[in-house]
Amino acid sequence: MASNNKLATYINRLESYIPQHKFTNTKISKATIGWQIDHSLKVINNVCLAMQSSDPNTFEKNMTFIGKFLLTLGRFPRGKAKAPKHVRPPEIIEKEALIKQIADAKKNIESINTLPANAYFKHPMFGHINKKRVTRFLEIHTKHHLNIIKDMNK
């Protein structure tokens, strides 16, 4: 689907870094490339699943100013937020787990297009993010972690 092309490209880029999943560059991040990949995929998959199971009737237009600002800006600042527990990677990141999450993410982003307009997920800092804004959020978040990986490889 056209609206998810950029996100699909980013997922393919994450996939291309799987062979380097154990690499780290502590000047850029304490985490490994695998951590960046795993976290990005957990966010994509959890957001899509949350939207699929959300009740559009309970959607509230309560997106915070900071959420609107960052989505408009198109980038997230580094080192300012801490990943919620449910999207934090495990201690040991297995290559096979990354490959499975990649396949899930590719399927899950396709499901976005079939969801009702007010399907949503609740972001801990931004409030409710519905279908209209979710792809933008996932693109910015994934690109944020791809940029970290790129800088780690410099």
Side-chain angles (χ1 to χ4, degrees):
M1 306 293 136
S3 64
N4 295 342
N5 279 350
K6 194 185 283 187
L7 189 54
T9 300
Y10 290 165
I11 292 170
N12 289 335
R13 207 171 303 155
L14 287 172
E15 186 174 23
S16 76
Y17 287 113
I18 290 175
Q20 299 172 265
H21 76 283
K22 291 184 178 178
F23 180 77
T24 191
N25 176 344
T26 53
K27 288 188 185 95
I28 305 299
S29 174
K30 287 182 268 191
T32 63
I33 286 177
W35 190 100
Q36 304 293 337
I37 297 168
D38 191 278
H39 169 68
S40 297
L41 294 170
K42 276 183 172 42
V43 168
I44 292 167
N45 289 323
N46 278 291
V47 163
C48 290
L49 294 174
M51 291 188 66
Q52 289 166 21
S53 64
S54 72
D55 176 356
N57 297 317
T58 61
F59 171 72
E60 296 173 31
K61 285 188 174 181
N62 66 358
M63 185 176 249
T64 62
F65 171 78
I66 193 76
K68 288 177 186 169
F69 177 75
L70 292 174
L71 289 186
T72 302
L73 187 65
R75 53 188 304 271
F76 297 149
R78 270 195 202 170
K80 297 294 178 207
K82 193 169 160 88
K85 240 186 207 121
H86 67 284
V87 289
R88 266 190 236 147
E91 214 45 51
I92 295 165
I93 298 164
E94 301 289 344
K95 187 176 175 181
E96 295 71 29
L98 295 176
I99 292 166
K100 183 189 180 321
Q101 288 183 85
I102 288 278
D104 292 346
K106 287 177 179 180
K107 273 193 302 238
N108 282 329
I109 65 165
E110 291 306 318
S111 75
I112 294 170
N113 298 313
T114 66
L115 297 171
N118 282 332
Y120 71 95
F121 82 100
K122 186 179 180 201
H123 187 280
M125 286 172 51
F126 299 172
H128 289 185
I129 299 179
N130 68 356
K131 179 180 174 177
K132 179 180 164 187
R133 290 187 165 127
V134 74
T135 301
R136 175 108 173 119
F137 167 79
L138 291 173
E139 286 170 0
I140 294 166
H141 182 267
T142 307
K143 188 168 192 226
H144 171 80
H145 288 281
L146 282 166
N147 285 336
I148 294 170
I149 293 168
K150 193 173 80 183
D151 289 351
M152 289 171 78
N153 275 323
K154 281 184 182 167

